[in-house]
Amino acid sequence: METAPKPGKDVPPKKDKLQTKRKKPREWKNPESQRGLSGAQDPFPGPAPVPVEVVQKFCRIDKSRKLPHSKAKTRSRLEVAEAEEEETSIKAARSEQLLAEEPGFLEGEDGEDTAKICQADIVEAVDIASAAKHFDLNLRQFGPYRLNYSRTGRHLAFGGRRGHVAALDWVTKKLMCEINVMEAVRDIRFLHSEALLAVAQNRWLHIYDNQGIELHCIRRCDRVTRLEFLPFHFLLATASETGFLTYLDVSVGKIVAALNARAGRLDVMSQNPYNAVIHLGHSNGTVSLWSPAMKEPLAKILCHRGGVRAVAVDSTGTYMATSGLDHQLKIFDLRGTYQPLSTRTLPHGAGHLAFSQRGLLVAGMGDVVNIWAGQGKASPPSLEQPYLTHRLSGPVHGLQFCPFEDVLGVGHTGGITSMLVPGAGEPNFDGLESNPYRSRKQRQEWEVKALLEKVPAELICLDPRALAEVDVISLEQGKKEQIERLGYDPQAKAPFQPKPKQKGRSSTASLVKRKRKVMDEEHRDKVRQSLQQQHHKEAKAKPTGARPSALDRFVR
Amino acid sequence: MTANRLAESLLALSQQEELADLPKDYLLSESEDEGDNDGERKHQKLLEAISSLDGKNRRKLAERSEASLKVSEFNVSSEGSGEKLVLADLLEPVKTSSSLATVKKQLSRVKSKKTVELPLNKEEIERIHREVAFNKTAQVLSKWDPVVLKNRQAEQLVFPLEKEEPAIAPIEHVLSGWKARTPLEQEIFNLLHKNKQPVTDPLLTPVEKASLRAMSLEEAKMRRAELQRARALQSYYEAKARREKKIKSKKYHKVVKKGKAKKALKEFEQLRKVNPAAALEELEKIEKARMMERMSLKHQNSGKWAKSKAIMAKYDLEARQAMQEQLSKNKELTQKLQVASESEEEEGGTEDVEELLVPDVVNEVQMNADGPNPWMLRSCTSDTKEAATQEDPEQLPELEAHGVSESEGEERPVAEEEILLREFEERRSLRKRSELSQDAEPAGSQETKDSGSQEVLSELRVLSQKLKENHQSRKQKASSEGTIPQVQREEPAPEEEEPLLLQRPERVQTLEELEELGKEECFQNKELPRPVLEGQQSERTPNNRPDAPKEKKKKEQMIDLQNLLTTQSPSVKSLAVPTIEELEDEEERNHRQMIKEAFAGDDVIRDFLKEKREAVEASKPKDVDLTLPGWGEWGGVGLKPSAKKRRRCPVVLLSRFLIKAPEGPPRKDKNLPNVIINEKRNIHAAAHQVRVLPYPFTHHWQFERTIQTPIGSTWNTQRAFQKLTTPKVVTKPGHIINPIKAEDVGYRSSSRSDLSVIQRNPKRITTRHKKQLKKCSVD
């Protein structure tokens, strides 16, 4: 899904400002008139200026593409569309100034490595409320834990390998439910709200409510190893040992698609939050990208020589981090090229990866977690120097950054650890979309709205913007059919008909001559075009790199 | 048509004959002997009539050819007068009498009265009526065009159209009728009064009020008249200019040109006195013109005219002169303005005076008349060099060295030294000049010269170092043994101080060489990680950014899968190393070994490439094979179609049995060896896409542009969302929506009424329409 215009933490430089083009700053003829009753003068007349870059961020019309010549009527429509875009983007940019919260950060004293700062130091430095967010749950009895935060970042669910399932409001530490399902728990995930909980158990997939009551047992999803929930499509994607990727629509309880990945056991899965594509990691070193609408993967990327151990995609859908059995950690560019941007060899390889909302990357290696940070929000994390490291009491089994909080939750054999990672979470939340402080009533209302705005599953594709394009193939097909039906092309240019002329110049011979002339001209145009195309092809075929120029003789 | 005409003429002929016969009878009675003659005359007449049929002299009057020389009192003859006898002449007495005036008047009246034309037939009348009515209606309706257009393009239409003006009284009116009653109000007003704040001040100033009122008629008229006058003047001026432009006289143009030149010169002189800075700019312009002249082939005696003159010149003195003139003109135009140098030469001794006379600006202007032009720069530097030699002869040895280097300058390797030297010279001369300008005393200048020479020495040292380094680096390049980092280290040093312009070509060269080096390295040891190498390159050339992507594109096809996956990435040095590893280091090594062994068998890359090849094959459009086994040859189990049928080389056969599929667009993953992108169309998503272009759009890109901005509240602010989703038409419930009236849009209502008349009874036509009809019929 495309993200809402709310984010954007980078504080814009105040230097170059953009004024709305349409509305000129009002010019007042005499200074008296802009005084109020009291005679005070507005020191900043006109609308507030908006920085250009911020506006640019919200502009969505791709102006690089040159349009063919258009009629006046069409042009007016295009102009209206462009004016609308500009106005809305300016409005969005202006509203962004209201997002006052700034992300947290961690800075070492000059020369000090931030990775050396341990949790105890951070806890000591921050305020009490933040310090309370760092805690450890010692649950050694029920084995390594998987965990999941709800979309609002308020609730935490975790399930131990030996059947322990619990959900709690982790901020107030209020326990919602705690049960033992008496079966191995592979994965656990909240559905669209914190009231529903999907648990991948040894045989089947079960759904519980926040009281711990079992609501459903979905037997069509068996031996599920990993779960992912696509919030805008209300789809629960399950990857199973049998090699099937199953999409379950939780709003109607129907299985939308069951896709056979044909790559053996599936136990590496993550979703791309930008376009809701599921990434699966396979033992032959490839990562495949899936959509419920297609039986085959949308794309397959060869990432590692060994099997893929973990995959994570960042919130903008631009970067994918993978780690493999060859002990390498790679960051791929997902914008069409799928090439690795940076590669690092880790001493023990990373078993778990996760991206935070602001683009921090965490890797769990054995009983250590390493966190890398990038330059800003839209940049890939640089793997040169870890931002933070932490050692846990047992090997890591599950990782997730808490949304809208600077907190990283780690599930391991010794229980759950909640770490403080400054700058991880998005500081400004959209109160209508995912409000951490919402009441029950608000949640119910949101639920109805979200269901009304549910995106159909078949719309999932690699480039969601492509949906706003005209289906050219059907368009052309329709045109062809129309021509067949009518027997002529209604849009074809009418053949040239010479105008009758006066004074005896309209003889048949001259008419024919004129017709001939126009025809020849058209023909010449065609030939010219085809020649040009040929030239282009030739130029493309052999790039003229080392061709000497006549001016080279002057080069000293 | 012609037949008709023929009949008419024949008819006329017969009438004439009748007329002619009338007097003939008399003649007959008189002289019988002329009968013979008469027959001959008749024949002549017929011949004439026939000959007149060809059209030219059809109108010629019938000639009376009877003998009329004999004047008799019984016969009237107009022979000789050449005039037609008019009825009035008969009536007219020899001397005019008043009694006949009335008769004459009556006669003229009778004559002036035309016969009433036949009425047009019904269809024609109706057609004319229709035409007139259509024209009228179209004219009346065309007035609505802008209104309709505006309404069609309007973002929102609100019905009913007539709006009640919200009666907002100005605040001062409200204030005047209002009095402070409560103690709080009174207190506030007291305060306001005390501070002399305006309380009942008119909030609208008279100016604003005036502007609010519409522009008065007189004003509008005056404005219109003014505009008209301006337009007329402009057109006069244009006409004059056009006329003057058309003048072909060479002399005239020569005179005009001369006059212009004179005027410009005069202006320049004046400008020089008044505003020297502007004059300098002018000078610069002249300089530019000179450059243009030098660049062009004008006045070089190479044109068509000049060549022809050259042939003539041998014999014709005038032609020779003309050529000479042309050449002299060229010389004049290309001659450099010697303002500065001349004055320098004149007053070489007294430098301070010279400095006063010729500001530094002049020299500078000449120097950077055209900044980015390397040829210009070169010449400038040489100029400055010359100037330097004039200034101080003590640097002769230096210059000699320079001269030597110049002589060697033809050879490539030394070119760089030359550049450096020249640059050095330039800088020094510049510094000299600034120093000279700084201190006016000649005594002080000696000291500065000393210090300057010291600086020269130090600079020379630096220069020699640079040269040495350059040599070294070149050697390395030549042998191509140097590794990349070395070159990297070496390169920036000589480049750092060179001016950008001189630096560029050199830079590019080194880059290319560096690339080659890199390639060689790559070939030597394949383990060298490609992306890393690229990163290094990009790091090294941060200012050559635009080059980098091109380079990358060029090499994209050469991305090697092997390289991609087998790169030895730098390993992370983590502070906290996983405990297991620390404890069991050996075991870890064993584990790694195990993994290597485990993956030795299955070659991931080969598998993937195979899979990709299969996918590419599967997605290719397939040829249609039309061979029918057993058709025209033996058939049966195990028999294959003959080779002739299977053969695909000749064009004819190919078209008969094998229809080749058109080649599809290139695959998206053509240049990405590690990726397989599915090219299949997502038909489920396509069902949701737009498949028909809406009306005014002719290309799908146009339409796409209008739907690219999302309109949902998820992506927009509340205000923007509301604005984007406003309804096109808003109606007020419970109100009647009347059709639009002329008054609603500011027209007078009369036009509408007469339109309605026409529409209601098109048969009845008003007098005005009748007039128009008449005009139409006349036309």
Side-chain angles (χ1 to χ4, degrees), chain A residues 155-334:
Chain A
H155 300 269
L156 172 67
F158 50 86
R161 167 85 59 76
R162 297 190 190 105
H164 178 211
V165 171
L168 73 158
D169 180 347
W170 69 272
V171 181
T172 58
K173 316 283 190 305
K174 202 182 122 203
L175 192 68
M176 291 198 299
C177 68
E178 187 174 19
I179 49 171
N180 197 321
V181 295
M182 306 301 285
E183 207 177 0
V185 169
R186 255 78 164 268
D187 202 358
I188 186 164
R189 197 134 299 241
F190 275 116
L191 297 190
H192 54 277
S193 73
E194 57 271 16
L196 291 170
L197 200 60
V199 180
Q201 294 178 15
N202 195 24
R203 290 229 36 205
W204 293 311
L205 173 71
H206 293 255
I207 291 182
Y208 298 88
D209 74 349
N210 58 358
Q211 307 296 311
I213 300 165
E214 185 185 317
L215 299 178
H216 303 289
C217 168
I218 296 147
R219 293 189 186 172
R220 283 195 59 191
C221 304
D222 60 332
R223 302 197 173 276
V224 174
T225 51
R226 284 286 177 269
L227 293 171
E228 276 293 341
F229 185 71
L230 310 175
F232 296 101
H233 304 79
F234 283 86
L235 290 179
L236 182 70
T238 60
S240 69
E241 273 179 359
T242 52
F244 273 91
L245 170 66
T246 314
Y247 285 90
L248 173 70
D249 189 336
V250 297
S251 63
V252 291
K254 243 172 72 180
I255 285 178
V256 173
L259 311 169
N260 190 356
R262 292 197 186 84
R265 182 189 148 95
L266 302 173
D267 57 351
V268 179
M269 174 156 82
S270 86
Q271 66 163 306
N272 185 342
Y274 171 66
N275 51 14
V277 165
I278 293 287
H279 292 225
L280 292 177
H282 304 295
S283 58
N284 60 355
T286 58
V287 169
S288 55
L289 277 55
W290 294 85
S291 135
M294 300 279 276
K295 290 275 177 232
E296 291 96 41
L298 300 172
K300 251 186 186 182
I301 311 158
L302 181 61
C303 297
H304 293 281
R305 295 203 74 181
V308 178
R309 284 180 75 192
V311 176
V313 185
D314 84 323
S315 61
T316 59
T318 319
Y319 306 111
M320 173 177 76
T322 61
S323 80
L325 279 174
D326 54 358
H327 292 198
Q328 286 196 331
L329 173 62
K330 289 184 179 179
I331 292 178
F332 283 82
D333 190 353
L334 288 184

Side-chain angles (χ1 to χ4, degrees), chain A residues 31-92:
Chain A
E32 305 297 312
S33 56
Q34 60 178 306
R35 288 162 194 266
L37 254 184
S38 59
Q41 207 170 344
D42 185 4
F44 307 107
V50 195
V52 181
E53 305 88 80
V54 186
V55 175
Q56 214 64 49
K57 200 169 64 183
F58 297 112
C59 285
R60 290 193 173 83
I61 290 181
D62 175 25
K63 276 171 187 147
S64 61
R65 187 182 264 176
K66 191 96 167 61
L67 289 185
H69 179 72
S70 39
K71 292 182 288 184
K73 204 172 257 179
T74 320
R75 227 176 300 135
S76 73
R77 291 277 286 270
L78 289 173
E79 273 162 16
V80 166
E82 267 163 35
E84 259 174 7
E85 186 221 17
E86 194 182 334
E87 198 183 335
T88 51
S89 55
I90 282 171
K91 270 180 182 151

Side-chain angles (χ1 to χ4, degrees), chain B residues 274-414:
Chain B
V274 180
N275 189 358
L280 269 181
E281 264 175 39
E282 280 293 308
L283 214 68
E284 208 175 312
K285 265 185 211 162
I286 291 167
E287 179 70 9
K288 215 159 218 173
R290 185 179 75 86
M291 263 155 51
M292 295 295 283
E293 176 65 28
R294 276 168 59 105
M295 276 200 294
S296 76
L297 290 174
K298 269 183 183 176
H299 310 113
Q300 304 265 16
N301 278 354
S302 57
K304 208 186 203 175
W305 173 85
K307 274 175 189 162
S308 71
K309 283 282 169 202
I311 295 162
M312 303 272 283
K314 237 180 191 176
Y315 317 103
D316 193 355
L317 191 74
E318 233 171 80
R320 212 176 301 158
Q321 261 174 358
M323 272 183 70
Q324 223 101 58
E325 207 173 288
Q326 175 105 341
L327 277 177
S328 69
K329 194 165 198 179
N330 177 35
K331 212 170 263 175
E332 187 190 313
L333 280 172
T334 53
Q335 199 176 26
K336 198 166 185 190
L337 284 177
Q338 291 291 339
V339 191
S341 57
E342 272 170 21
S343 58
E344 254 179 279
E345 279 167 11
E346 279 165 20
E347 309 163 65
T350 54
E351 279 172 349
D352 44 356
V353 182
E354 169 215 325
E355 289 305 322
L356 278 176
L357 271 177
V358 185
D360 277 4
V361 197
V362 178
N363 287 335
E364 275 172 23
V365 162
Q366 281 185 356
M367 267 190 58
N368 40 19
D370 221 2
N373 192 344
W375 294 281
M376 282 310 294
L377 199 83
R378 179 186 254 174
S379 67
C380 274
T381 51
S382 65
D383 277 2
T384 47
K385 249 182 277 151
E386 280 164 24
T389 49
Q390 281 170 6
E391 269 174 23
D392 36 11
E394 57 178 276
Q395 292 163 351
L396 261 175
E398 232 293 325
L399 265 174
E400 275 171 15
H402 174 239
V404 167
S405 72
E406 243 205 323
S407 65
E408 289 169 359
E410 271 83 69
E411 295 167 14
R412 277 253 338 131
V414 206

Side-chain angles (χ1 to χ4, degrees), chain B residues 212-223:
Chain B
L212 273 179
R213 259 183 279 126
M215 193 190 270
S216 72
L217 192 64
E218 287 83 62
E219 253 181 275
K221 271 184 182 166
M222 267 168 62
R223 172 124 184 85

Side-chain angles (χ1 to χ4, degrees), chain B residues 423-440:
Chain B
E423 174 212 340
F424 165 64
E425 281 280 318
E426 200 182 311
R427 220 181 300 148
R428 196 182 46 197
S429 68
L430 267 173
R431 197 174 355 93
K432 269 269 141 56
R433 213 178 298 149
S434 65
E435 275 168 20
L436 285 173
S437 62
Q438 269 169 14
D439 40 354

Side-chain angles (χ1 to χ4, degrees), chain B residues 524-682:
Chain B
Q524 276 162 17
N525 41 354
K526 286 227 169 167
E527 295 99 56
L528 199 83
R530 233 203 76 80
V532 176
L533 199 151
E534 280 232 349
Q536 278 177 356
Q537 281 190 358
S538 63
E539 271 167 28
R540 205 195 125 0
T541 57
N543 49 353
N544 286 11
R545 270 264 161 242
D547 291 348
K550 218 189 279 170
E551 201 181 311
K552 201 175 176 188
K553 217 169 250 174
K554 224 191 287 171
K555 284 199 182 154
E556 234 161 20
Q557 287 164 334
M558 306 201 303
I559 292 174
D560 192 11
L561 250 188
Q562 200 78 27
N563 269 357
L564 202 77
L565 288 176
T566 54
T567 45
Q568 282 181 356
S569 55
S571 60
V572 156
K573 281 166 203 147
S574 178
L575 287 170
V577 186
T579 36
I580 311 127
E581 194 197 29
E582 274 177 26
L583 293 172
E584 320 160 81
D585 201 16
E586 276 180 35
E587 199 168 302
E588 204 271 333
R589 204 168 290 160
N590 283 344
H591 179 68
R592 201 179 272 181
Q593 196 64 37
M594 232 168 68
I595 287 171
K596 255 185 196 167
E597 278 167 16
F599 288 114
D602 51 16
D603 190 351
V604 173
I605 296 164
R606 206 200 300 137
D607 285 354
F608 188 82
L609 284 179
K610 194 179 157 205
E611 201 182 333
K612 178 161 183 177
R613 216 175 302 124
E614 275 165 12
V616 170
E617 279 301 317
S619 74
K620 258 188 194 161
K622 282 173 189 67
D623 300 346
V624 182
D625 193 2
L626 293 177
T627 47
L628 283 175
W631 187 262
E633 61 199 7
W634 285 108
V637 182
L639 280 174
K640 279 179 186 172
S642 67
K644 200 175 79 189
K645 272 189 182 178
R646 273 184 284 124
R647 191 169 47 194
R648 45 186 306 179
C649 38
V651 182
V652 185
L653 275 180
L654 191 96
S655 62
R656 196 188 289 165
F657 291 120
L658 199 88
I659 297 169
K660 213 166 183 213
E663 215 168 290
R667 280 180 72 90
K668 277 184 229 158
D669 54 6
K670 205 176 82 183
N671 295 331
L672 308 168
N674 66 328
V675 187
I676 305 170
I677 296 176
N678 198 344
E679 300 269 302
K680 251 190 200 162
R681 201 157 81 101
N682 184 354

